[in-house]
Amino acid sequence: LLHHVEVVLAAALRRPDTPVTRLPLLDTDERRLVLERFNDTARTHPPTSLVALVAAQVARTPQATALVARDGALTYAELDARATTLARTLVQRGATTETPVAVCLPRSPDLVVALLAVLRAGAAYVPLDPAYPLSRLQFLLDDTGAPLLVSARDCEAATFLEGPARLDLDDPATWSAADVPLPAIDPAQLAYWIYTSGSTGVPKGVQVEHRNAGALVHWALGAFGRDDLAGVYAATSVCFDLSIFELFVTLAAGGTIVLGADALDLATHPARDRVTLVNTVPSAARALLG
């Protein structure tokens, strides 16, 4: 695009006798658009941890609804209290700075509590979707070397996983941690591990720092209005990076996470009228509208 655009049909069609079609040169305004305006993406965001972003909103609106699901709801204060207690238990069990802690839970309020608790403990969460094949879940545990696994009795997949010590959310002892001090979170610390699909080979893990995810949150708060983020439908697997937007952007904005099983679950979800923003593929949107 710097000097001209050339479309070589012969190469595309593997026919050497096909003539080359040459498009016009870019004029000055078009070159400026391509080279400058399209690339003017630089933004200055203060390095911030996900923990700090959520804590700031808890302080602003403690009684607002942070999350609703088919099986319950939590205010910001309730979410913070449960995550704090679980974080203290994790610290008691050995979680420390950047310790990989696996989370294998169904899509319930406790899933969000657990993710936030791992971050509050200073550790990095490793999301395990119970719907994924056991071989993949075991690979993620082995690859990260996670010493702890947060799960619950209704998560059958977790019972077949080997390696880490299990922290069962159904056990009352899990929620009885003493007043263990929680660490300060450096924005440069790891926040979570997330893996590629593995469609081209072995899945590859990416370690994401708080400041990386925090930059996404800051961008989203500028790109979307508060009304847009008032009720965000969260149906993406926590093993996929879109979940960071659905969960942590919503909490940082003071909105309500509407937790669903999948995109099509929205049609019958009891809190569907609260939803103001849905991220999904066109085929699912078409099915919902139909």
Side-chain angles (χ1 to χ4, degrees):
L1 291 176
L2 295 180
H3 300 293
H4 61 273
V5 177
E6 193 174 70
V7 180
V8 185
L9 296 179
L13 299 174
R14 299 183 183 275
R15 290 179 52 187
D17 58 332
T18 303
V20 171
T21 300
R22 192 179 297 274
L23 299 181
L25 298 177
L26 297 176
D27 63 28
T28 301
D29 290 339
E30 290 169 334
R31 283 172 58 82
R32 184 175 295 113
L33 177 67
V34 171
L35 296 179
E36 298 177 16
R37 290 184 57 192
F38 284 173
N39 288 299
D40 185 18
T41 59
R43 298 291 184 272
T44 300
H45 299 304
T48 316
S49 72
L50 293 175
V51 169
L53 288 165
V54 176
Q57 190 57 49
V58 171
R60 287 191 290 266
T61 58
Q63 298 310 312
T65 302
L67 183 150
V68 292
R70 286 183 177 270
D71 56 350
L74 293 173
T75 66
Y76 275 84
E78 291 169 337
L79 173 63
D80 181 68
R82 287 180 64 79
T84 298
T85 300
L86 182 55
R88 288 173 173 155
T89 300
L90 288 168
V91 171
Q92 281 185 328
R93 295 288 295 272
T96 185
T97 303
E98 298 187 340
T99 300
V101 175
V103 176
C104 187
L105 289 166
R107 297 186 68 79
S108 68
D110 276 344
L111 172 62
V112 182
V113 169
L115 298 181
L116 185 56
V118 174
L119 298 178
R120 291 286 305 274
Y125 71 78
V126 179
L128 304 182
D129 191 322
Y132 281 17
L134 286 175
S135 58
R136 180 181 174 93
L137 300 183
Q138 189 64 58
F139 169 81
L140 300 185
L141 286 177
D142 295 341
D143 195 56
T144 60
L148 292 171
L149 169 63
V150 180
S151 192
R153 291 174 191 150
D154 60 349
C155 186
E156 183 179 359
T159 63
F160 297 99
L161 299 175
E162 300 176 351
R166 181 166 168 174
L167 195 67
D168 192 339
L169 297 189
D170 297 302
D171 184 352
T174 299
W175 302 100
S176 60
D179 191 16
V180 177
L182 296 178
I185 309 300
D186 188 318
Q189 285 179 217
L190 293 184
Y192 57 90
W193 297 54
I194 203 158
Y195 277 76
T196 62
S197 65
S199 58
T200 58
V202 176
K204 299 170 182 63
V206 178
Q207 296 173 304
V208 182
E209 298 174 352
H210 278 270
R211 59 185 173 183
N212 304 140
L216 168 68
V217 173
H218 284 298
W219 166 81
L221 295 179
F224 294 84
R226 297 283 173 174
D227 290 343
D228 299 325
L229 300 171
V232 177
Y233 189 57
T236 304
S237 168
V238 290
C239 292
F240 187 53
D241 53 5
L242 179 57
S243 65
I244 305 302
F245 181 101
E246 293 177 342
L247 301 180
F248 293 103
V249 169
T250 308
L251 293 176
T256 298
I257 298 167
V258 180
L259 198 64
D262 53 45
L264 299 182
D265 186 41
L266 175 60
T268 59
H269 200 291
R272 62 185 178 275
D273 292 339
R274 301 185 67 152
V275 173
T276 57
L277 182 65
V278 178
N279 290 294
T280 190
V281 294
S283 57
R286 187 178 302 113
L288 288 170
L289 293 172

